[in-house]
Amino acid sequence: MPRKVTPSASKGNLPAAASVEGSQLLIEERRQHILSLAQQNGRVLVEELSETLGISRITIRKDLDFLERRGVLQRTHGGALLPQSGTIFDPTLKEKEGRHSEEKQRIALAAVALVQEGQCILLDSGTTTTVIAKELKKFSRLTIITNAVNIAAELSGTNFDVILTGGTLRKNSFSLVGPLAEEVLRDMYADILFLGVDGFDLEIGLTTPNLMESRVNRAMVKAASKTVAVCDSTKFNRRSLSKIVDATAIHHVITDSNLSDETAAAIRSLNIQLTLV
């Protein structure tokens, strides 16, 4: 995580040597400066940073990718923004599809390795769980319970028993929410729940931007014998609007290897199994 920078940092305050690629310290100073500019202006642009710092756009993009993995910037086309507040930022499924695709694929493969033929699997809505659904096609006999319309459609050509909860359609996530979905889940039992989240804070718990989604997710946790959180490392130490459950309600976390050592140790200290991919 980059060191905290004061709001007074500006182009003129950047050490001259920081524009030269070299030691890890100089790289760290450059990334601090980029973050400082984003904090002042709300965004940074690759082209402007390249000209100001006198380094290649490729290097700038790598810096922005690094800062995004640490959860302090959000990458956009041509630059980066400060992370949106979880209380109001609710991206669509399509907007999230292209983010961290390699990490999601590795997470999905590790998740599917936990599944056994004949089990009942509960799948939350989301891009990571959609990748998991695709990987589950290698099995012959599964029962899938999901509130995600797109996941049900993805598995429609299999021999699986696919149970789609009722409810009100959320167009942002193609998920079904509301009292009907919650009621159906109260009568269900699953061996494993794969749960995607927008925020994973060890003190606050697991969170999502939508209140109705959080209630359905909570019902899913109650319906499953084992809950596995599947999310990339940028979701950690972030809080969104609606709490799903405490972190201690999770049995297993699968995330990518960019997770900080401190967060990994904190997760394990709660007796939660952690798989880094």
Side-chain angles (χ1 to χ4, degrees), residues 9-11 33-44 49:
S10 63
K11 297 177 184 178
H33 177 67
I34 291 172
L35 179 59
S36 175
L37 291 178
Q39 290 171 337
Q40 291 177 54
N41 304 317
R43 68 169 186 169
V44 287
L49 290 171

Side-chain angles (χ1 to χ4, degrees), residues 25-165:
L25 175 61
L26 298 181
I27 293 173
E28 179 70 7
E29 288 174 345
R30 184 178 69 237
R31 289 169 175 168
Q32 285 182 48
H33 177 67
I34 291 172
L35 179 59
S36 175
L37 291 178
Q39 290 171 337
Q40 291 177 54
N41 304 317
R43 68 169 186 169
V44 287
L45 299 176
V46 172
E47 184 174 356
E48 290 182 359
L49 290 171
S50 177
E51 292 176 358
T52 302
L53 302 180
I55 56 179
S56 71
R57 296 181 184 180
I58 293 176
T59 300
I60 293 297
R61 292 190 185 99
K62 289 180 179 179
D63 286 343
L64 296 182
D65 288 341
F66 174 89
L67 292 171
E68 183 182 55
R69 290 196 298 271
R70 293 297 177 266
V72 294
L73 287 183
Q74 177 187 326
R75 288 284 275 119
T76 62
H77 180 70
L81 304 170
L82 287 178
Q84 298 283 346
S85 170
T87 61
I88 59 174
F89 186 54
D90 188 10
T92 66
L93 197 68
K94 188 171 184 61
E95 288 172 333
K96 295 190 289 185
E97 277 179 347
R99 300 178 188 171
H100 313 291
S101 56
E102 293 182 4
E103 289 89 342
K104 290 173 184 176
Q105 184 63 44
R106 297 198 301 271
I107 291 169
L109 291 173
V112 169
L114 302 177
V115 176
Q116 296 179 14
E117 200 75 67
Q119 285 186 321
C120 179
I121 307 301
L122 185 50
L123 291 176
D124 174 31
S125 63
T127 52
T128 303
T129 49
T130 298
V131 181
I132 291 174
K134 293 176 180 178
E135 292 298 327
L136 286 173
K137 291 180 178 181
K138 66 183 65 174
F139 290 88
S140 301
R141 295 179 298 104
L142 291 175
T143 298
I144 306 294
I145 306 171
T146 185
N147 72 322
V149 175
N150 66 304
I151 288 178
E154 179 69 37
L155 299 175
S156 61
T158 68
N159 290 323
F160 299 165
D161 290 325
V162 180
I163 300 172
L164 185 61
T165 69

